[in-house]
Amino acid sequence: TGGAFAERGTLLSTLKVSVGEPGFWYSLLFTAVILIFGIRRIARRKTPYVKLQTWTLFAIQALPLFLLPYLLLPWLGSNGAFDGGWGEWVADQLFPIVDSGHGREYWRAFGLILAWPLFFWNVFSDQPLTGWLVISFLQTFLLIPWLVRRWGKGAYCGWICSCGALAETLGDAHREKMPHGPVFNRLNMIGQVFLAIAFLILSVRVISWLLPQTTIGEMSASLYRSMLDGVPRK
């Protein structure tokens, strides 16, 4: 077993590096919570719909939001999948090279499921990442609106989003505790405030990219950094 952990290109050696990243443990804990409370939800609500929805939420959390960024992509990278050809081109667009960890920012794969501004680091980056800008635009302004129009807002929030997964599993037994009434319904609109803030940050980030050597560009960059200072990236 020690040799497998030390030998480059094995799943165990990949895991050895991943466990050194805080995000690995956060995602593992999140996935475990979805599984444990999801099983409890299925046992409590014995319907085919709940069973299918819960296992779908768990599968999305476990595969693209945990195994993909922390095991599968790094393992492929350590075996040369991103060292040349189209694999290297795709990786360069989505997972920039770094001098730590697995050598690339594979944690950005969260953005394949979590659209901007839910997961904003692929858009709020030091330098514009064209691949993620395109993906984020398609997700936020085309794909999700189409899903909502076709099946309602629960199509994304209740079947794909990890926040929805937590609400449907951990929060399932506490639905009756949610306060109701006109005041609390208005408080629910606070999400629109955070959305406005996200658009403000996006605006100053874009200005700083487009006008890097100007006064307004430098002011925008400074404002952007002050807004996100201290927010963890992974």
Side-chain angles (χ1 to χ4, degrees):
T1 302
F5 274 107
E7 183 181 352
R8 176 178 170 81
T10 66
L11 287 174
L12 288 178
S13 66
T14 301
L15 181 62
K16 181 180 179 181
V17 176
S18 290
V19 297
E21 300 179 1
F24 172 89
W25 297 103
Y26 299 150
S27 295
L28 177 61
L29 176 61
F30 201 101
T31 303
V33 168
I34 299 303
L35 176 61
I36 294 170
F37 287 92
I39 291 174
R40 294 178 61 179
R41 181 190 188 220
I42 292 173
R44 183 167 52 250
R45 301 179 182 272
K46 302 179 185 298
T47 68
Y49 178 90
V50 166
K51 184 176 182 180
L52 177 61
Q53 182 192 34
T54 303
W55 284 120
T56 299
L57 288 168
F58 170 73
I60 291 174
Q61 176 60 40
L63 296 175
L65 293 176
F66 177 58
L67 292 178
L68 184 66
Y70 291 112
L71 192 63
L72 299 180
L73 285 174
W75 175 73
L76 288 172
S78 67
N79 282 280
F82 308 130
D83 290 345
W86 69 268
E88 181 180 21
W89 182 85
V90 171
D92 287 343
Q93 305 308 307
L94 302 181
F95 314 118
I97 294 175
V98 292
D99 57 4
S100 61
H102 292 291
R104 285 186 180 273
E105 294 180 332
Y106 294 116
W107 55 270
R108 293 188 182 277
F110 291 141
L112 296 173
I113 299 297
L114 305 179
W116 181 88
L118 186 61
F119 181 72
F120 53 76
W121 283 121
N122 288 342
V123 174
F124 297 160
S125 53
D126 294 333
Q127 297 297 325
L129 301 175
T130 304
W132 284 119
L133 291 176
V134 172
I135 290 173
S136 298
F137 176 84
L138 293 176
Q139 288 173 322
T140 302
F141 298 105
L142 293 178
L143 179 58
I144 293 179
W146 177 79
L147 287 174
V148 172
R149 180 180 176 84
R150 180 69 175 81
W151 289 291
K153 66 179 182 179
Y156 182 77
C157 296
W159 285 81
I160 299 173
C161 173
S162 57
C163 297
L166 198 64
E168 295 290 349
T169 54
L170 178 61
D172 182 67
H174 307 283
R175 295 179 187 272
E176 71 282 356
K177 298 178 182 178
M178 176 68 181
H180 298 282
V183 174
F184 292 103
N185 289 339
R186 286 194 292 271
L187 285 177
N188 283 334
M189 298 300 292
I190 195 172
Q192 305 304 313
V193 175
F194 288 104
L195 181 61
I197 293 173
F199 272 103
L200 174 61
I201 298 175
L202 176 62
S203 298
V204 297
R205 176 77 287 190
V206 171
I207 292 173
S208 68
W209 284 336
L210 296 177
L211 305 170
Q213 304 299 325
T214 65
T215 300
I216 188 173
E218 293 176 356
M219 291 177 60
S220 297
S222 177
L223 179 59
Y224 164 79
R225 287 191 294 269
S226 66
M227 286 179 171
L228 296 182
D229 184 40
V231 179
R233 297 195 178 200
K234 59 177 179 175

